[in-house]
Amino acid sequence: ERRTGLAAAVAAGVWRTDPAPEEVQIGGVRCLRFSPSGASRGTLLHMHGGAFRIGCPEQIAPLAASLAQACKVTVICPAYRLAPEYPFPAGLNDGWAVLRALAETMPRALILSGDSAGGGLAASIAALAHQAGIPLAGLALLSPWVDLSVIDPAYTTNAATDPLFSAEAAQEAAALYLQGHMPSDPLASPLLGELSGYPPTYLNAGMGEVLAGDARRLRDRLEQAGVPVTFHEVDGMEHVAVTR
């Protein structure tokens, strides 16, 4: 039902941008490409959110178009495969395939970003990029979900102030995505992995959202690993809210 409603909203042009993005195939994955006016300074790969089971690149189009123009970068948003039909690591593999293809064809700066579950995917892809020797200029994570064990105290302390996500929803989504795979796998929960090879990282979260704890712990671990990190925790900000 959620996917049907989302598809109807896309068809109705709810997230339409002007100019419209190009639909392209990159690494065998359907993507939307948003180009800036004038020369592009680099490429940003953004993984959309949706708890690994819903969402699409069209839904993030207004943010992607704004980033393309404000930062003068080319923004790529892949339509990665979703659970439960395609469990872990299908979506991760799709994002990784897109990044590898971009690294081969784009000589300019390459940046990774993602929101919510897409933030977790982006963080995992950053670890794979480090292992493969693919240099990244930066990583930007908006309200990232980086620990699928769903044990952070913020799930309880912020339950009443987060209208979009909850411990119950997170547990259900993680089960559909993992399908028996251990949440302690660092590629599923990048918070638990080796972070020393990460590029300079930007993090944000709302103080009242249940994923604020994941963002705080990721900030702490990045700082411990010696990674330059900027963290903005915003009072009154909802899950994955963005400003222009």
Side-chain angles (χ1 to χ4, degrees), residues 131-149:
Q131 294 169 13
I134 296 175
L136 296 175
L139 177 66
L141 306 177
L142 314 178
S143 299
W145 188 15
V146 290
D147 183 359
L148 300 192
S149 64

Side-chain angles (χ1 to χ4, degrees), residues 146-162:
V146 290
D147 183 359
L148 300 192
S149 64
V150 193
I151 59 171
D152 194 275
Y155 282 102
T156 299
T157 57
N158 288 352
T161 54
D162 192 334

